[in-house]
Amino acid sequence: MKRTSLIVIALLVVLVLGDRLAGAVLSTMVMKSANRFAALYNDAGPVDVLVLGNSRADLHFSPKMIRDQAGQSARNLGLGGISTVLAEALLLDHLDAYGPPKVLIIEPSNIITDPGKVGDMRLFATWSDRIGQLVRADTPEFYWAGRLSSLFNYNTDMFVRVLNDLRARPAERLTRAAMPANLLADLRAAPPEQRERLVIRDENLLALDRILKLARDQGINAHVVMTPYLPEFFRGHPDAAHWKSAITARATATGTPVHDLTGLIDDPALFRDRHHLNRAGAVQLVHALQHRGVLAGGE
Amino acid sequence: MLFNSIPFLIFAPLFFITYFLLRGQARLIFVAGASYFFYAWWDWRFCGLLLLSSVVDFWIGHFLARPDMADRRRKMWLMLSLAVNLGMLGIFKYFDFFAQSFTAVLNAVGIEATPLLLNVVLPVGISFYTFQTLSYSIDLYRRTITEPETNFIRFAAYVALFPQLVAGPIVRAAALLPQLREDHGVDWARIGRGIELIAWGFFLKLCLADTASLVVDPRYAKPEFYNALSHLIGSFAFSFQIYGDFAGYSLIAIGLGAIMGLDFGINFNRPYFATSFGDFWTRWHISLSRWIRDYIYISLGGNRGGELRTFRNLCITMFLGGLWHGAGWNFVVWGLLHGFYQVLQRIFGPPFWRIVGFLRLPRMLSLGILMLTVFLLTTFAWIFFRADNFDQAWTIIGIIARGEGWTLGAGEQMIAIAKMTVFAAIVIVVDALGLHQRARQYYLDRLPLRIAGLAALGWLIALGGTFSGASFIYFQF
């Protein structure tokens, strides 16, 4: 019995010490990464233009393109699956660390994203109490597992991306490929009622309200930019009108300018899929925003 | 209740504490009760079927064991056991499949008909526990077991034993009932070994199988969206997924049994190192392979009666083995493919070795060629096993065969592919080391190494496990 107790104690000591030690090493690696989200929690510095949203924000607003075209430093905090609620947490973390940007671009299509879902951003719960609280509400078992095991906090795809960004500056996220012809043909053939629904989540609308009010109170030049959808998907979509009016109502209530650019681009060759522009499309979008004076900080 | 769920994390320690506090009949009542509770966690209504199977075979067992009963009457009792158990399987698992297939045949010959479907839910583990109870009746009939079980609670505990109730191993009455007669005390060495098996099982399930499923599932959900390379990767991924999933489950079950002081035997023995299909089936799902060998293949005549009869028996056995796995033509094709592989092996095996001798190829190289061939053909057969239906399997094979695209685009689960590759490499290395008796013994004899190994598994699971709460594939059978 004494021997067994010693074995159990030895196992627990090795398990816990190894976990903490490896966790500390991985934490250092995250902080050394050039990944944009890791940089947010590691003295990335203030920027002129901050972008919030989901993958449509991520793939439509290249910081390099904004810098080249408008001469403004930019940071894109958009990522696939980020809800407006999570975007709000990222904005608050950014404001705490670096103060208000001159321009805030909000791509609002994430109002349909599950507001409780933290997903891959769970990696940053160690550095952000706000994200930690969202994890706790969304998946309490993951939150407590993360408290129990340091290594568990790094068990996300985001950590693999962070590791990838250790080697070099993150690669350009825009792609040159156009949407495959067969998928486009399928989309054209499908009746509007079969398209993916755009169901708005109330928690996201409330978060959008808070973001817009916060921007107004802090004197940030905020813009709500509804970026282009593939016309074959969005034109005639049963939810499009409601989706637009819900966003517009929230923005106008706080006096925030709304840019409806959903129909800006007609050419399918400028899209990589129904939701996302490719590089050539993103260039046109940034041109349009530049033309409207959004990137200079004026309407 | 899934092994990889929070309720089970609470259930297991409570079970073991109580288990070791009790002795004799009280312990048996507790084991049976806890196992029914474990099963009822899914759907309490199906506990009735479990009880029915136990009562029928316990009762019939007494007639089958009577030395004074004529063979004809004993056979009648065996038929009754087969009718009840296979009848349950037939109604819950196969009725709709055969009704649909029969209607399709009628429609094909111009007779309009609509199938009469029961649309009943398949009770979890029914294929496993019916085979387990059937083995008891058949062994009594064959006089492999001479004494019937006299304690119903023990028999009920044997049929419902929770570690292996829903997905095996199928442990026969002759092996398990005597173990349930003993009052196993706390044996720390066994408990330690059990924990090691459970940890490796969870690694196989959470790290290998569930990560591979992230690669596999999207490809089978929309096969037409993926190209040839992508489907090849998906096919190999499924080979590792099914191994990790089922071997993982088996190891957890065997480990739980070991903690209880019970020996379930082994159910997987590094199957992808098999150098022939006969060898593969002595390494894959061993408890089922032995079951169908002893009760179907040998009953059909086995390899007695010439080559053609042996080929026929192999194909019938594997056809039934395929059908056991699922009520669908894709499972039938999967089983028949394995039967066909074994026939081919018997035809081409001897000439292969003559060529090897003629060319003086090194033995290791020859075995490597065979190992790779078995793995590739097994992977091909798994496409039918994984597909939702025959058409889907054919779509995937068509894309691969036509070579439609050999590049990987964005959104192809690259991170999951990378993680799965790392975990598969770990499993292959550990399995390869396990083949060497000396390496295995070296590990088992060194306590610090075993502690480090167990800790490393804990770290890998925490860092790389996929915690999606995915069920085990074999639960559907």
Side-chain angles (χ1 to χ4, degrees), chain A residues 37 52-55 57 77-91 106-121 134 138 201-205 207-208 210-211:
Chain A
F37 292 103
L52 293 180
N54 56 12
S55 60
L77 295 181
L79 186 74
I82 287 189
S83 66
T84 319
V85 171
L86 185 51
E88 181 193 14
L90 291 172
L91 172 66
I106 301 149
E107 209 299 334
S109 45
N110 59 359
I111 57 169
I112 64 167
T113 309
D114 181 352
K117 203 169 162 233
V118 182
D120 269 1
M121 294 300 286
L134 289 176
D138 174 27
R201 309 292 293 258
D202 288 343
E203 297 96 316
N204 285 326
L205 280 182
L208 183 62
R210 292 193 296 270
I211 290 172

Side-chain angles (χ1 to χ4, degrees), chain B residues 375-417:
Chain B
F375 178 69
L376 291 176
L377 289 174
T378 304
T379 297
F380 174 73
W382 284 134
I383 296 175
F384 291 96
F385 188 95
R386 171 59 181 81
D388 296 333
N389 50 57
F390 195 77
D391 288 344
Q392 193 187 49
W394 211 238
T395 302
I396 291 169
I397 291 165
I399 291 170
I400 296 172
R402 288 191 297 273
E404 290 174 0
W406 296 101
T407 52
L408 284 182
E412 297 237 20
Q413 305 86 28
M414 295 301 286
I415 292 174
I417 291 172

Side-chain angles (χ1 to χ4, degrees), chain A residues 1 3-4 7 10-11 14-16 18-19 26 141-142 149 151-152 154-157 159-161 182-183 186 272, chain B residues 6 188 195 224-225 410 415-416 418-419 447 450-452 454-456 458-468:
Chain A
M1 187 67 191
R3 185 170 181 269
T4 305
I7 292 170
L11 176 65
V14 172
L15 202 57
V16 172
D19 176 78
L26 298 186
E141 65 277 19
F142 281 13
S149 158
L151 283 173
F152 183 77
Y154 300 90
N155 185 349
T156 69
D157 283 1
F159 177 62
V160 181
R161 292 197 188 100
N182 59 333
L183 295 186
D186 287 350
R272 59 184 272 178
Chain B
I6 290 173
W188 289 109
I195 289 169
E224 61 281 5
F225 280 22
I415 292 174
K419 279 172 70 177
L447 189 60
R450 290 174 70 175
I451 289 174
L454 205 49
W459 300 330
L460 282 170
I461 290 169
L463 184 60
T466 299
F467 295 92
S468 56

Side-chain angles (χ1 to χ4, degrees), chain B residues 405-461:
Chain B
W406 296 101
T407 52
L408 284 182
E412 297 237 20
Q413 305 86 28
M414 295 301 286
I415 292 174
I417 291 172
K419 279 172 70 177
M420 180 199 71
T421 307
V422 170
F423 292 133
I426 292 172
V427 170
I428 290 168
V429 168
V430 171
D431 274 2
L433 285 172
L435 285 174
H436 296 279
Q437 178 60 28
R438 277 177 62 189
R440 204 166 55 220
Q441 205 54 50
Y442 184 86
Y443 176 80
L444 290 174
D445 289 345
R446 279 157 186 80
L447 189 60
L449 210 54
R450 290 174 70 175
I451 289 174
L454 205 49
L457 282 177
W459 300 330
L460 282 170
I461 290 169

Side-chain angles (χ1 to χ4, degrees), chain A residues 16 25 49 99-100 104 106 118 124 135-136 140 175 193 204 206 215 248 297 299:
Chain A
V16 172
V25 171
V49 179
L104 177 65
I106 301 149
V118 182
F124 299 106
V135 175
R136 191 173 181 172
T175 58
E193 59 274 14
N204 285 326
L206 292 172
T248 307
E299 163 63 324

